Amino acid sequence: MPELPEVETIARGLDQRVRGDFIESVWLGSHREPLKSSAQEIAAALAGTRIAKVRRVGKHIVFDLEPKSSQNGVTKTQRAASLSSRNGGRQWIVHLGMTGRMLVCSPEEASPKHTHAIASLSSGRELRFVDPRRFGRLSVTTDRGFTGPGTEPLTVTADEFAKLFRGRKTPIKAALLNQKLLHGVGNIYADESLFRAGIRPRRQAGRLSRAELDRLHAAVKQVLKEAIRLGGSSVSDYVDAEGREGFFQLRHRVYLRTAKPCLVCRTPIKRLVLGGRGTHYCPKCQR
Ligand SMILES: [Zn+2]
């Protein structure tokens, strides 16, 4: 499942490739699960808009759209008439789920079997949403106000961070994975952050000292930023918008390193299952 660094990498790649392009028409498949808004709503909101920007919000990819007519009024068919929203702004919101991918293709390329949406662009290319397991979600909003649930880990302050965990009786690892608290930290980055902060995953979140929380706050940011710089972690089949793998998996210090020597103290890395998720830690470095 892509986490924050992978979604950031994909959103940046898409922004480079399709920003400024126009969505001419939209095809949606017959499976209902991926559509959080109705197929009609999505098609109507997207068709005839210009992609002003693609960015990440939490673990969502957000396409900021503006009516074609706002570009010097050059519209062949006055599709803008159907764009009723007063401020003209709208967003296409994509959550990749477990296996979702956004591909920029030429129309001649065969559509993979699990293609659920195709946006035809005026540049002649297609933007395709492909998702074999169908946990991904597509929706649209008309108010540009999408912020997603939870707090953004790259900008959260130390005070805000500490407040998130106050009084929480769950293990800190589970609290880090709770998307209503911090948005975008998944299994890999929770394990790696806890290792760098020297905190055992099973510790009760509400009982961590302020010094420990400050260390964890710094570790989460450091790990996510380093992972973004390296294009994310390619475990299972993750690749970015251009089909490139990320390289942060080469920097993992505990994740999936069970029984291998700790890179700091040589103690074998341990694995336990916490909240149903495989959890990796060094019993000596983490207290
Ligand atoms: Zn160690």
Side-chain angles (χ1 to χ4, degrees), residues 15 48 66 75 90 99 101 131 150 182 191 207 210 248 276:
D15 187 59
E66 52 192 37
T75 47
R90 56 191 58 211
T99 53
R101 294 177 66 185
D131 186 7
L182 276 184
D191 280 6
R207 291 224 176 141
R210 179 60 197 249
F248 189 70

Side-chain angles (χ1 to χ4, degrees), residues 51 80 250 260:
I51 300 171
L250 305 174
K260 290 186 178 154

Side-chain angles (χ1 to χ4, degrees), residues 67 80-90 141-143:
S82 67
L83 305 177
S84 56
S85 108
R86 259 163 277 128
N87 58 12
R90 56 191 58 211
T141 68
T142 50
D143 62 3

Side-chain angles (χ1 to χ4, degrees), residues 65-230:
L65 305 171
E66 52 192 37
K68 213 170 180 175
S69 58
S70 73
Q71 293 309 104
N72 307 320
V74 280
T75 47
K76 271 189 291 179
T77 53
Q78 199 60 29
R79 278 212 199 86
S82 67
L83 305 177
S84 56
S85 108
R86 259 163 277 128
N87 58 12
R90 56 191 58 211
Q91 294 174 321
W92 181 22
I93 299 155
V94 179
H95 192 282
L96 297 172
M98 305 271 290
T99 53
R101 294 177 66 185
M102 291 293 296
L103 305 173
V104 183
C105 311
S106 85
E108 292 82 53
E109 283 175 62
S111 281
K113 194 173 161 208
H114 302 282
T115 302
H116 303 293
I118 300 176
S120 300
L121 306 176
S122 59
S123 61
R125 299 173 300 170
E126 288 182 352
L127 191 52
R128 297 176 184 169
F129 176 68
V130 180
D131 186 7
R133 296 192 58 187
R134 302 207 293 268
F135 287 106
R137 294 289 178 265
L138 307 177
S139 60
V140 289
T141 68
T142 50
D143 62 3
R144 286 211 173 208
F146 182 75
T147 53
T151 303
E152 165 63 42
L154 288 181
T155 53
V156 65
T157 66
D159 285 344
E160 290 164 350
F161 186 86
K163 223 173 168 181
L164 291 176
F165 304 105
R166 200 171 288 163
R168 300 220 165 243
K169 296 201 165 88
T170 54
I172 183 62
K173 165 78 185 276
L176 281 175
L177 294 182
N178 183 346
Q179 300 296 302
K180 289 177 195 146
L181 300 179
L182 276 184
H183 198 172
V185 179
N187 211 28
I188 298 173
Y189 301 102
D191 280 6
E192 292 298 317
S193 301
L194 286 167
F195 175 80
R196 282 162 174 80
I199 297 167
R200 287 217 186 177
R202 249 209 276 252
R203 293 272 306 281
Q204 201 182 102
R207 291 224 176 141
L208 295 178
S209 70
R210 179 60 197 249
E212 287 173 323
L213 287 168
D214 285 350
R215 286 211 307 273
L216 185 57
H217 172 246
V220 166
K221 285 194 176 186
Q222 187 205 340
V223 163
L224 293 174
K225 282 181 183 163
E226 194 182 335
I228 290 169
R229 212 162 44 236
L230 294 174

Side-chain angles (χ1 to χ4, degrees), residues 6 17 23 36 49 51 65 69 94 198 206 216 222 234-236 277 279:
E6 291 79 41
R17 300 182 76 189
I23 299 177
K36 251 179 100 183
T49 60
I51 300 171
L65 305 171
S69 58
V94 179
L216 185 57
Q222 187 205 340
S234 283
V235 291
S236 70
R277 311 296 300 275
T279 295

